[in-house]
Structure formats: structure tokens, C-alpha cells
Amino acid sequence: MDIRTPADYQQALDQFTAWMDHEPADLAPMLALRDAISAYEKGQGYELPAPQTLVGRLELEMYRRKLNKKNLAALLDIPASRLSDVLQGRRINLDLAKRLYKRLGIPAEFILEAA
């Protein structure tokens, strides 16, 4: 799929939103539409605002890497329940801060300021 105009873009967003509400059985068209929307946004110079919280940064990393919570927990080598705690805004310890820095490349300064 190729999105070329703002009208095409709006139509694609509307379709994607509808699919988000009622996930189709075959995800391939939804994923292709997601990629087309992303390509259009990059071509237009759209940028997401930089997250100001650790939770926001983790959600952005999940989006960028196409990870769900289970995959992110495995990447960080922590239980899914611990990741859920972090995503709910609970504090992190030094060990997890190091893992966020080493495995996700989140700057240490950001982790310390946002945690």
C-alpha cells in the first residue's frame, strides 16, 4: 500500500483505528497498513515527541522494536510481573537501570532523571 496524499493518510488512519478496535483474523493487511502509515509520516517529517518519563520511553522502545510486554521482559531478563510494575510507574532498582541502559540503549542520565 502506498499513501501519497493527506486524504490517503487520513483514510489509512481511520482504517487502522477500526482494525485496532476489532482486530482482524489475518494481521498481514493491518501490519502492511501500519508500515505504510509509518513510511508516509517519515516522508512528511512527522516525529513523535520525546518521552519525558521512563514509562513513556519503554513504551516507545516497545513500539520501535515491535515488542510486546512478554518479549520486552525476556529481553531485560526480568519476570513479566516486574515489567508490569515498572510500566505502572513503580520504582526501579539499580540492576534494572543497568539493563535498560545496556540492552535498550536508554541513556543513563535519562534513567536517573526519569526514575
XYZ file of all heavy atoms in Angstrom, residues 55 57-63 65-80 83 86-87 96 100 103-104 106:
262
model
N 8.390 5.331 31.742
C 7.314 4.503 31.182
C 7.118 4.857 29.710
O 7.024 3.978 28.847
C 6.005 4.676 31.977
C 4.852 3.967 31.284
C 6.175 4.174 33.398
N 9.288 6.152 27.681
C 10.462 5.693 26.922
C 10.394 4.191 26.665
O 10.707 3.723 25.573
C 11.739 6.058 27.681
C 13.012 5.713 26.945
C 13.132 6.493 25.623
N 14.243 6.051 24.843
C 15.399 6.696 24.748
N 15.576 7.830 25.372
N 16.366 6.204 24.011
N 9.972 3.425 27.674
C 9.841 1.979 27.491
C 8.771 1.658 26.451
O 8.961 0.764 25.613
C 9.532 1.297 28.817
C 10.689 1.248 29.812
C 10.213 0.711 31.153
C 11.830 0.413 29.275
N 7.665 2.369 26.495
C 6.608 2.137 25.503
C 7.093 2.477 24.104
O 6.783 1.778 23.144
C 5.360 2.944 25.869
C 4.661 2.389 27.092
C 3.525 3.255 27.597
O 3.415 4.434 27.178
O 2.743 2.761 28.423
N 7.880 3.547 23.976
C 8.447 3.906 22.680
C 9.406 2.823 22.187
O 9.371 2.439 21.012
C 9.167 5.256 22.768
C 9.832 5.737 21.481
C 8.802 5.927 20.373
C 10.594 7.026 21.738
N 10.239 2.302 23.076
C 11.162 1.233 22.690
C 10.393 -0.022 22.276
O 10.781 -0.707 21.328
C 12.133 0.914 23.825
C 13.169 1.989 24.074
C 14.064 2.272 22.879
O 14.443 1.328 22.150
O 14.392 3.449 22.665
N 9.310 -0.308 22.966
C 8.487 -1.463 22.589
C 7.935 -1.258 21.179
O 7.942 -2.182 20.362
C 7.349 -1.670 23.596
C 7.825 -2.199 24.931
S 6.537 -2.216 26.208
C 5.308 -3.283 25.482
N 7.468 -0.045 20.887
C 6.928 0.254 19.564
C 8.022 0.159 18.500
O 7.832 -0.486 17.461
C 6.297 1.655 19.560
C 5.896 2.116 18.193
C 4.738 1.635 17.600
C 6.689 3.018 17.478
C 4.374 2.051 16.330
C 6.330 3.437 16.217
C 5.167 2.945 15.646
O 4.813 3.350 14.388
N 10.839 -1.437 18.477
C 11.390 -2.786 18.316
C 10.319 -3.831 18.041
O 10.615 -5.014 17.922
C 12.169 -3.173 19.569
C 13.359 -2.274 19.832
C 13.879 -2.469 21.242
N 14.899 -1.518 21.572
C 16.195 -1.800 21.627
N 16.604 -3.022 21.396
N 17.058 -0.864 21.943
N 9.054 -3.371 17.994
C 7.913 -4.267 17.749
C 7.875 -5.398 18.782
O 7.751 -6.574 18.439
C 7.950 -4.797 16.328
C 7.836 -3.705 15.288
C 7.932 -4.238 13.891
C 7.714 -3.144 12.894
N 8.883 -2.482 12.421
N 7.991 -5.008 20.052
C 7.983 -5.965 21.156
C 6.688 -5.846 21.949
O 6.175 -4.744 22.138
C 9.145 -5.691 22.116
C 10.559 -5.815 21.582
C 11.558 -5.306 22.613
C 10.860 -7.263 21.238
N 6.207 -6.965 22.420
C 5.115 -6.912 23.388
C 5.741 -6.987 24.781
O 6.952 -7.100 24.929
C 4.090 -8.021 23.141
C 4.685 -9.408 23.251
O 5.659 -9.642 23.962
N 4.091 -10.356 22.535
N 4.907 -6.915 25.810
C 5.425 -6.903 27.178
C 6.207 -8.172 27.499
O 7.265 -8.114 28.132
C 4.281 -6.726 28.174
C 3.674 -5.353 28.131
C 2.518 -5.257 29.102
C 1.793 -3.942 28.939
N 0.623 -3.863 29.815
N 5.713 -9.295 27.025
C 6.392 -10.560 27.301
C 7.790 -10.585 26.676
O 8.759 -10.992 27.313
C 5.539 -11.716 26.755
C 6.109 -13.078 27.006
C 5.192 -14.150 26.438
C 5.807 -15.517 26.578
N 4.980 -16.557 25.984
N 7.895 -10.104 25.427
C 9.192 -10.076 24.747
C 10.156 -9.094 25.398
O 11.351 -9.376 25.515
C 9.035 -9.709 23.275
C 8.204 -10.691 22.495
O 7.308 -10.304 21.762
N 8.477 -11.977 22.640
N 9.630 -7.940 25.820
C 10.497 -6.965 26.483
C 10.997 -7.504 27.813
O 12.172 -7.349 28.146
C 9.763 -5.640 26.691
C 10.591 -4.533 27.350
C 11.846 -4.206 26.528
C 9.749 -3.287 27.561
N 10.129 -8.163 28.561
C 10.551 -8.754 29.832
C 11.656 -9.785 29.595
O 12.646 -9.822 30.333
C 9.357 -9.387 30.548
N 11.504 -10.592 28.558
C 12.532 -11.591 28.242
C 13.851 -10.914 27.843
O 14.926 -11.350 28.254
C 12.043 -12.511 27.120
N 13.762 -9.845 27.051
C 14.964 -9.117 26.641
C 15.696 -8.542 27.853
O 16.921 -8.560 27.910
C 14.592 -7.987 25.677
C 15.724 -7.090 25.203
C 16.735 -7.873 24.369
C 15.179 -5.927 24.404
N 14.928 -8.060 28.821
C 15.526 -7.488 30.023
C 15.851 -8.545 31.067
O 16.454 -8.237 32.093
C 14.585 -6.435 30.630
C 14.342 -5.202 29.767
C 13.254 -4.342 30.371
C 15.628 -4.418 29.571
N 15.434 -9.780 30.809
C 15.659 -10.892 31.726
C 15.051 -10.615 33.106
O 15.707 -10.769 34.136
C 17.154 -11.202 31.846
C 17.413 -12.576 32.450
O 16.530 -13.448 32.360
O 18.509 -12.767 33.029
N 13.783 -10.165 33.068
C 13.025 -9.941 34.298
C 11.663 -10.606 34.149
O 11.201 -10.837 33.020
C 12.835 -8.435 34.605
C 12.073 -7.719 33.488
C 14.174 -7.768 34.877
C 11.706 -6.279 33.793
N 11.007 -10.935 35.251
C 9.663 -11.508 35.147
C 8.682 -10.491 34.546
O 8.833 -9.272 34.744
C 9.287 -11.822 36.595
C 10.552 -11.751 37.379
C 11.486 -10.863 36.624
N 7.689 -10.995 33.843
C 6.679 -10.117 33.245
C 5.966 -9.294 34.313
O 5.609 -8.135 34.076
C 5.680 -10.940 32.439
N 8.017 -6.231 35.012
C 7.874 -5.250 33.947
C 6.540 -4.521 34.078
O 6.475 -3.303 33.905
C 7.990 -5.905 32.570
C 7.814 -4.956 31.388
C 8.873 -3.858 31.399
C 7.846 -5.720 30.078
N 6.895 -1.838 36.583
C 7.645 -0.699 36.050
C 6.747 0.128 35.129
O 6.732 1.360 35.196
C 8.909 -1.172 35.308
C 9.590 -0.017 34.587
C 9.873 -1.836 36.279
N 5.968 -0.538 34.273
C 5.089 0.173 33.350
C 3.930 0.863 34.060
O 3.276 1.726 33.482
C 4.571 -0.783 32.270
C 5.636 -1.279 31.290
C 5.065 -2.324 30.355
C 6.243 -0.125 30.511
N 18.051 -3.136 37.341
C 17.182 -2.920 36.182
C 17.623 -1.678 35.415
O 17.597 -1.670 34.184
C 15.719 -2.814 36.611
C 14.725 -2.608 35.468
C 14.851 -3.704 34.415
C 13.300 -2.557 36.013
N 18.382 -1.567 31.415
C 17.750 -0.623 30.489
C 18.816 0.106 29.671
O 18.652 0.336 28.472
C 16.892 0.384 31.251
C 15.673 -0.178 31.983
C 15.019 0.904 32.818
C 14.684 -0.805 31.022
N 20.836 -2.968 27.463
C 20.065 -3.763 26.494
C 19.158 -2.935 25.602
O 18.825 -3.363 24.500
C 19.270 -4.828 27.227
C 20.211 -5.806 27.935
C 19.502 -6.901 28.629
N 20.463 -7.728 29.366
C 20.123 -8.742 30.100
N 18.856 -9.083 30.232
N 21.048 -9.439 30.745
N 18.727 -1.774 26.081
C 17.844 -0.944 25.267
C 18.518 0.334 24.785
O 17.980 1.048 23.947
C 16.574 -0.574 26.048
C 15.660 -1.730 26.438
C 14.457 -1.210 27.205
C 15.217 -2.524 25.221
N 18.977 3.032 26.519
C 18.397 4.237 27.110
C 19.511 4.944 27.881
O 20.169 4.323 28.716
C 17.214 3.889 28.033
C 16.097 3.200 27.231
C 16.687 5.138 28.739
C 14.939 2.708 28.069
